[in-house]
Amino acid sequence: MTATDIAATTAPPILEVRNMRKAYGNMPILKGVSCTLNQGDVMCVLGGSGSGKTTLLRCIAQLERYQGGSVVVDGELMGIAEKGGRFYRLSERQIARQRLKTGMVFQKFNLFSHMTAMQNVMEGPVHVLSVPPEEARSEACRLLEWVGLGERMDHYPAQLSGGQQQRVAIARALAMKPKVMLFDEPTSALDPESVGRVLAVMKQVAATGMSMIVVTHEMGFAREVASRVLFMDHGVIAEDAPSAQFFSAPSHPRAADFLASTLGARVQTN
Amino acid sequence: MSAEMQLDDHSTIIERGRYRMVMSLVVVLAFVAWLVHAFAVSDIEWKYVSHFLMVRTIMQGVAATLFMAVSAMLLGVVIGLIFAIVQQSGNPVWKTVAAGYVWLFRGTPVILQLLLWFNLALVFPHIWVPGYGSVQTVQLMTPFLSALLGLGLNQGAYITEIMRSGLTSVDKGQYEACCMIGMTRLQALRRVILPQALRVVIPPLGNEFISMIKLTSLSSMIQYPEILHSAQNIYYANARVIELLLVTGFWYLAIVTVLMPVQYFLEKRINRGWSG
Ligand SMILES: Nc1ncnc2c1ncn2[C@@H]1O[C@H](COP(=O)(O)OP(=O)(O)O)[C@@H](O)[C@H]1O
Ligand SMILES: [Mg+2]
């Protein structure tokens, strides 16, 4: 047993989703999803389009209200408080404070379009965490250099390529020092050339020991970086397995089909 | 010899439409000349016009017009912003209140609203003002306050719609990105949503302000001493009606003429910071 294995078995999980149920109208989207993320782990979420991957991330991030289930991040129950055996929805301000534990990288980047790369990264530290601007600036500088954008700090999002915008978005999320980073198909809006550079930055983030949940269709990344793979199918988790096991011998037939089709397509194009 | 053989790089080509442009210019100039002549030989005493252009009462009227336009516009912007935000909040009670407000104030003539505010004392002889206690409505509803409420509340109804379109023009992802760096709704609004909405609302707000300049003339009906009311006060005494109305017209035109390039540069400036 290595040191990390021991840590993983003794330390409480950094994130735990229990029996998450979510419906839009009367269309169930998540039908009782449970999963656990250990400190420093990278979990990739795979699954066909419309299987509920984005919805799961958004529920974890408290961007959606769910009908049932719970999310615990870093030992704290998200969005809900228990008092005298009854459960109350937290105030908007309390939820905002809890969200500091999770960082999110969106498929469409969502950089603040009226701010430069630098201002995007500084915004949260200065205006939410009340870090002195000079301190925030030098930290933002360091982060932007770390994601390979040292030259582009004063560019507006409209002046950056998709891949560059996504790397700024990663820096912006990291600047808040979250406990868990959530990525929702961070590379699927990018051209093939940019994909590699964004994935490289994500690997770099993983290497710092950040706990991550990554929704992706990049099988190479999942295989190489993820320690666990969650395979979602029609709102349920069809398979939750260590990455190596999932890729060598998926147990769920749909997962096997999915792998065959995506990896097959990959082999053909290469 | 055929035409295409004569046509070379040095040939002059006569564009179509030149002749028509010259003709229309002649017609327009002739019309303007006739108009100027008609006014020159008319019974208008031009020396009165130039004399009253800058008299004290008129200048005070200009100042009062500007003051009212700015105050009512500010009131309108504050109200419009609040109602637009409230409409987006998703609280059905406030949404209905906001919709009702817009319906009521856009659905009735401004002049009627001004008269109703000014004559509020007929309905409520006394009004309880926090901190002062009961006040006689006649004393409270001065021409200034009535005009401010009438114009500002009416303007607010239109600005609500403008602000609403501005807020909805900002992508929802921007708000979600704010949430994910721990901002509250109000912080997101102030730091991200409003600055981006500004780009969309500045042009229509500029137009609204220019309309407001002219709309203030309605408050002459309730004795607010803006330009038109000042001019009327003078012509009631000296019967130089047209001369003083021309003075009034001159000042409205002058104000609007100054404001239009201001609006243009403001729009330029706001768009500049945008894509770089
Ligand atoms: N705001 C919404 N309103 C109604 N249905 C939605 C909404 N968002 C997502 N859905 C539906 O939920 C299902 C799952 O969506 P999503 O979580 O985005 O899937 P994935 O990310 O795995 O492709 C889809 O069928 C989608 O149509
Ligand atoms: Mg998705």
Side-chain angles (χ1 to χ4, degrees), chain A residues 22-25 27-30 45-58 64 107 184-185 215 217 232 235, chain B residues 172:
Chain A
K22 162 82 185 164
Y24 285 114
M27 245 256 287
I29 304 297
L30 298 177
V45 182
L46 308 180
S49 170
S51 56
K53 308 181 296 293
T54 298
T55 308
L56 176 61
L57 279 199
R58 290 173 59 85
E64 298 284 347
Q107 187 171 354
D184 186 14
E185 299 198 30
V215 174
H217 292 294
M232 286 191 68
Chain B
K172 221 170 137 263

Side-chain angles (χ1 to χ4, degrees), chain B residues 2-3 10 40 55 59 61 67 94 125 147 155 192 210 219 235 237 246 251 273:
Chain B
S2 63
H10 306 291
V55 295
M59 294 316 287
F67 185 60
W94 288 116
Q155 188 63 278
V192 173
I210 285 174
S219 57
Y235 73 59
L246 286 179
W251 279 112

Side-chain angles (χ1 to χ4, degrees), chain A residues 208-227:
Chain A
T208 65
M210 177 63 74
S211 314
M212 294 163 53
I213 300 182
V214 183
V215 174
T216 187
H217 292 294
E218 294 294 328
M219 293 301 149
F221 178 85
R223 184 174 254 176
E224 188 184 339
V225 183
S227 41

